[in-house]
Amino acid sequence: MKKNISMAPWQMITTVMLLTLVISFQVNAQNTLTKQNIQKVLDDAYSKFKDLQEGKNADYIKELATVDPNIFGIALITTDGQVYTEGDIQSMVSIQSVSKVFTMAKDLEDLGPQAIQDKIGVDATGMRFNSIVAVEMQKGKEINPLVNPGAIAASSLIAGADSATKWKNIVQIQSDFAGRQLSLNWPVYVSEAGDNLRNQAIAHLLYAYGRMYFDPVQATDIYTKQCALNVNAKDLAEMASTLANGGVNPVTKKKVVSQATVMYTLPVMATAGLYDDSGIWLFNSGIPGKSGVGGGLLAVCPGKFGIAVVSPPLDAAGNSVKAQKVIQYVVEQLKVNPYWIEPKQ
Ligand code: GLN
C-alpha cells in the first residue's frame, strides 16, 4: 500500500531550511580552497611569522652563512595552475637537499621502483643527513635517496656515460619540475666543492661496498653542483605542484614524470624528507615535504597544490624554522591534512 507523504507548510519550510544549512555546511567544509581564502591564509601566515627570529643560517658550507637571513617568501601553486605568492619570491637561494627529490624521481622514472629499492634503499636512516655511521651500520644498504649517501648514489645512477651528460640530465629534470631553466649558484658550488671531504668520504665508503654507480669523486661533484642550483619560493612551489598534479607541471602543462613515479616519490618524502625530524614534520603537517640547508622547504598536498617557503635560518636538524611553521599553519587553516577526517554522520 502506498502511503501519501504530505507535509504541513511549516514542516516544508523547516525541512528546506535544514537542508540548506546541511548543504551550505558541506560546501563550506570543502571550500577552503577558494582564491580569496588561499591568499588570505598566505597573507596571515606571512604576518604571523615574519618577525620570528629563531634559527641560524647553515655555515658548514661557508657561502651559506653570507646569505641574507631575512629572505622570506611563500608560494602556493594549485593543480589547476593558479599561482599565489606572498613576500619575497625574487631572491634566490641554493636548492640544496630539495634537489634530491627530483634526481630520485628521475631514477625512478628511468629504472623503476625495484631498482631503487635494490641499489639504494628507501627506508629512512633516522640519522643526520650526512651521517657516515648510517652507511657503515648497513654496509651501504638502505641509504635512502633523500639524505646525502643515497642522494650521491642517486646522482651516480642518472643516465649518462660521462659526468657532463649526467649533469645535463640532472639540470633538465630539475628545470622541468620548476618550469624554467635553472642555473648554478657558482659561489655556493665553489664554496662547497672546496670543502666537501665528508661527502667524498661517504661516496668512497659506498664505492667500497659496491653501492656507488659512477666514479665517487665525479659523482660527489655532480651532486654538489645539483645542490647549488638557484631557486626562489615560486620555483620550489612549482616543483611541488608538479608532484601534487601526478607528474604534469600545472603551469607549463609538460608531463615531467609518470603518475607511478610520483606515487613512489611521495612516500619517501613523507618518511625521510626532513631528515631525522621527518616523523615530527609528518606528525604536525600530515603531508610529504622536503627541506634543504639553503632554507627552502616544499610540501605536496596530493591532487590539490604544492607549497614552498624560503627562509634561511635553520633549526638543529637543518630545517628552515619559519618554513616549517608557515606550511603547518597553511595546511591547518586550509584543512588539507589528509588525516583530518570528517566523520560520516
Ligand atoms: N649540499 C648539502 C650537503 O651535501 C646538502 C645538505 C642538505 O641540504 N641537507 O651537505
Side-chain angles (χ1 to χ4, degrees), residues 60-61 95-98 100 129-130 148 152 192 196 199 223-224 227-228 275 290-294 317-318:
Y60 76 99
I61 298 169
I95 188 169
Q96 298 299 339
S97 274
V98 183
K100 292 169 178 165
F129 61 81
N130 56 4
N148 293 15
I152 303 172
E192 188 172 0
N196 62 355
N199 283 340
Y223 160 83
T224 308
C227 290
Y275 323 121
K290 183 74 199 88
S291 60
V293 290

Short mmCIF file of all heavy atoms in Angstrom, two decimals, residues 60-61 95-98 100 129-130 148 152 192 196 199 223-224 227-228 275 290-294 317-318, ligand 1:
data_model
loop_
_atom_site.label_atom_id
_atom_site.label_comp_id
_atom_site.label_asym_id
_atom_site.label_seq_id
_atom_site.Cartn_x
_atom_site.Cartn_y
_atom_site.Cartn_z
N TYR A 60 78.28 25.38 7.68
CA TYR A 60 79.31 24.39 7.36
C TYR A 60 79.66 24.47 5.88
O TYR A 60 80.72 24.02 5.45
CB TYR A 60 78.87 22.97 7.79
CG TYR A 60 77.84 22.34 6.88
CD1 TYR A 60 78.23 21.43 5.91
CD2 TYR A 60 76.50 22.66 6.98
CE1 TYR A 60 77.31 20.85 5.06
CE2 TYR A 60 75.57 22.09 6.15
CZ TYR A 60 75.97 21.18 5.18
OH TYR A 60 75.06 20.63 4.33
N ILE A 61 78.76 25.08 5.07
CA ILE A 61 79.12 25.49 3.71
C ILE A 61 79.27 27.00 3.84
O ILE A 61 78.28 27.71 4.09
CB ILE A 61 77.99 25.13 2.71
CG1 ILE A 61 77.77 23.62 2.66
CG2 ILE A 61 78.31 25.69 1.32
CD1 ILE A 61 76.52 23.17 1.92
N ILE A 95 69.28 25.37 -3.89
CA ILE A 95 68.22 24.38 -3.65
C ILE A 95 68.62 23.33 -2.61
O ILE A 95 67.80 22.81 -1.88
CB ILE A 95 67.80 23.72 -4.99
CG1 ILE A 95 66.57 22.83 -4.82
CG2 ILE A 95 68.94 22.91 -5.60
CD1 ILE A 95 65.95 22.36 -6.13
N GLN A 96 69.93 23.02 -2.58
CA GLN A 96 70.47 22.01 -1.64
C GLN A 96 69.66 20.71 -1.68
O GLN A 96 69.33 20.23 -2.73
CB GLN A 96 70.61 22.60 -0.24
CG GLN A 96 71.58 23.79 -0.19
CD GLN A 96 73.00 23.43 -0.60
OE1 GLN A 96 73.40 22.29 -0.56
NE2 GLN A 96 73.79 24.41 -1.01
N SER A 97 69.32 20.18 -0.50
CA SER A 97 68.73 18.84 -0.45
C SER A 97 67.37 18.71 -1.10
O SER A 97 66.92 17.59 -1.34
CB SER A 97 68.60 18.40 1.00
OG SER A 97 69.80 17.81 1.42
N VAL A 98 66.69 19.82 -1.36
CA VAL A 98 65.38 19.70 -2.01
C VAL A 98 65.56 19.03 -3.38
O VAL A 98 64.70 18.29 -3.85
CB VAL A 98 64.69 21.08 -2.15
CG1 VAL A 98 63.31 20.92 -2.77
CG2 VAL A 98 64.60 21.78 -0.81
N LYS A 100 67.24 16.57 -4.14
CA LYS A 100 67.34 15.10 -4.04
C LYS A 100 66.05 14.41 -4.48
O LYS A 100 66.08 13.32 -5.04
CB LYS A 100 67.68 14.71 -2.59
CG LYS A 100 69.09 15.14 -2.19
CD LYS A 100 69.34 15.00 -0.70
CE LYS A 100 70.78 15.38 -0.36
NZ LYS A 100 71.05 15.63 1.02
N PHE A 129 71.56 13.97 8.14
CA PHE A 129 71.59 13.82 6.68
C PHE A 129 72.96 13.45 6.12
O PHE A 129 73.05 12.89 5.03
CB PHE A 129 71.02 15.06 5.98
CG PHE A 129 71.78 16.34 6.25
CD1 PHE A 129 72.95 16.63 5.55
CD2 PHE A 129 71.31 17.26 7.18
CE1 PHE A 129 73.64 17.81 5.78
CE2 PHE A 129 71.99 18.44 7.43
CZ PHE A 129 73.16 18.72 6.73
N ASN A 130 74.03 13.78 6.87
CA ASN A 130 75.35 13.43 6.33
C ASN A 130 76.06 12.39 7.21
O ASN A 130 77.28 12.37 7.33
CB ASN A 130 76.22 14.67 6.11
CG ASN A 130 76.37 15.48 7.38
OD1 ASN A 130 75.89 15.08 8.44
ND2 ASN A 130 77.06 16.61 7.28
N ASN A 148 72.25 12.44 2.27
CA ASN A 148 73.44 12.53 1.42
C ASN A 148 73.92 11.21 0.79
O ASN A 148 74.14 11.17 -0.42
CB ASN A 148 74.58 13.21 2.16
CG ASN A 148 74.27 14.67 2.44
OD1 ASN A 148 73.11 15.08 2.31
ND2 ASN A 148 75.26 15.44 2.82
N ILE A 152 73.85 10.86 -3.21
CA ILE A 152 75.05 10.81 -4.07
C ILE A 152 74.95 9.56 -4.96
O ILE A 152 75.25 9.62 -6.16
CB ILE A 152 76.36 10.84 -3.24
CG1 ILE A 152 76.39 12.09 -2.35
CG2 ILE A 152 77.60 10.80 -4.15
CD1 ILE A 152 77.54 12.13 -1.34
N GLU A 192 81.26 24.90 -1.57
CA GLU A 192 81.04 23.54 -1.06
C GLU A 192 82.02 22.54 -1.67
O GLU A 192 82.52 21.64 -0.97
CB GLU A 192 79.60 23.08 -1.29
CG GLU A 192 79.35 21.75 -0.58
CD GLU A 192 77.89 21.28 -0.59
OE1 GLU A 192 77.04 21.98 -1.16
OE2 GLU A 192 77.63 20.21 -0.03
N ASN A 196 84.06 19.68 0.73
CA ASN A 196 83.09 18.59 0.96
C ASN A 196 83.76 17.22 1.18
O ASN A 196 83.34 16.21 0.63
CB ASN A 196 82.06 18.51 -0.18
CG ASN A 196 82.71 18.20 -1.51
OD1 ASN A 196 83.93 18.12 -1.60
ND2 ASN A 196 81.91 18.01 -2.53
N ASN A 199 81.37 14.43 2.33
CA ASN A 199 80.57 13.78 1.28
C ASN A 199 81.46 12.88 0.41
O ASN A 199 81.03 11.82 -0.05
CB ASN A 199 79.85 14.82 0.41
CG ASN A 199 78.63 15.38 1.12
OD1 ASN A 199 78.09 14.76 2.06
ND2 ASN A 199 78.17 16.54 0.69
N TYR A 223 76.72 15.83 -7.64
CA TYR A 223 75.76 16.02 -6.55
C TYR A 223 75.91 17.42 -5.92
O TYR A 223 74.92 18.11 -5.64
CB TYR A 223 75.99 14.92 -5.49
CG TYR A 223 75.43 15.27 -4.14
CD1 TYR A 223 74.08 15.07 -3.84
CD2 TYR A 223 76.25 15.85 -3.15
CE1 TYR A 223 73.57 15.42 -2.60
CE2 TYR A 223 75.74 16.20 -1.91
CZ TYR A 223 74.41 15.99 -1.65
OH TYR A 223 73.89 16.34 -0.44
N THR A 224 77.15 17.86 -5.76
CA THR A 224 77.41 19.18 -5.15
C THR A 224 76.87 20.29 -6.04
O THR A 224 76.28 21.26 -5.57
CB THR A 224 78.93 19.36 -4.91
OG1 THR A 224 79.39 18.23 -4.18
CG2 THR A 224 79.24 20.62 -4.12
N CYS A 227 73.10 20.51 -5.85
CA CYS A 227 72.66 21.20 -4.64
C CYS A 227 72.80 22.71 -4.76
O CYS A 227 72.20 23.46 -4.00
CB CYS A 227 73.46 20.72 -3.43
SG CYS A 227 73.09 19.03 -2.95
N ALA A 228 73.64 23.17 -5.71
CA ALA A 228 73.92 24.60 -5.84
C ALA A 228 73.04 25.28 -6.89
O ALA A 228 73.25 26.45 -7.21
CB ALA A 228 75.40 24.82 -6.15
N TYR A 275 64.89 14.82 7.09
CA TYR A 275 65.99 14.14 7.79
C TYR A 275 65.49 13.41 9.04
O TYR A 275 64.43 12.80 9.01
CB TYR A 275 67.12 15.13 8.14
CG TYR A 275 67.36 16.19 7.11
CD1 TYR A 275 67.25 17.54 7.40
CD2 TYR A 275 67.72 15.82 5.81
CE1 TYR A 275 67.48 18.51 6.43
CE2 TYR A 275 67.95 16.78 4.84
CZ TYR A 275 67.83 18.12 5.16
OH TYR A 275 68.05 19.06 4.21
N LYS A 290 60.01 18.35 1.74
CA LYS A 290 61.47 18.19 1.59
C LYS A 290 62.15 19.51 1.86
O LYS A 290 61.76 20.53 1.31
CB LYS A 290 61.84 17.69 0.19
CG LYS A 290 63.34 17.44 0.04
CD LYS A 290 63.77 16.18 0.76
CE LYS A 290 65.26 16.11 1.03
NZ LYS A 290 65.64 16.75 2.32
N SER A 291 63.17 19.45 2.69
CA SER A 291 63.89 20.66 3.05
C SER A 291 65.30 20.65 2.48
O SER A 291 65.79 19.61 2.04
CB SER A 291 63.98 20.73 4.57
OG SER A 291 64.68 19.58 5.02
N GLY A 292 65.93 21.81 2.53
CA GLY A 292 67.33 21.93 2.12
C GLY A 292 68.02 22.92 3.03
O GLY A 292 67.36 23.84 3.55
N VAL A 293 69.34 22.78 3.20
CA VAL A 293 70.04 23.68 4.13
C VAL A 293 70.20 25.11 3.58
O VAL A 293 70.66 26.00 4.28
CB VAL A 293 71.43 23.13 4.59
CG1 VAL A 293 71.28 21.94 5.50
CG2 VAL A 293 72.33 22.83 3.41
N GLY A 294 69.77 25.34 2.33
CA GLY A 294 69.74 26.70 1.79
C GLY A 294 68.57 27.49 2.37
O GLY A 294 68.48 28.71 2.19
N ALA A 317 68.18 20.34 13.29
CA ALA A 317 68.18 19.22 12.33
C ALA A 317 68.52 19.69 10.91
O ALA A 317 68.77 18.87 10.03
CB ALA A 317 66.81 18.53 12.34
N GLY A 318 68.52 21.02 10.69
CA GLY A 318 68.86 21.55 9.37
C GLY A 318 67.64 21.93 8.54
O GLY A 318 67.71 22.05 7.32
N1 GLN B 1 74.86 20.08 -0.27
C1 GLN B 1 74.49 19.84 1.09
C2 GLN B 1 75.36 18.73 1.69
O1 GLN B 1 75.70 17.83 0.98
C3 GLN B 1 73.05 19.46 1.15
C4 GLN B 1 72.59 19.09 2.54
C5 GLN B 1 71.20 19.48 2.87
O2 GLN B 1 70.55 20.33 2.28
N2 GLN B 1 70.74 18.88 3.92
O3 GLN B 1 75.70 18.76 2.83
#
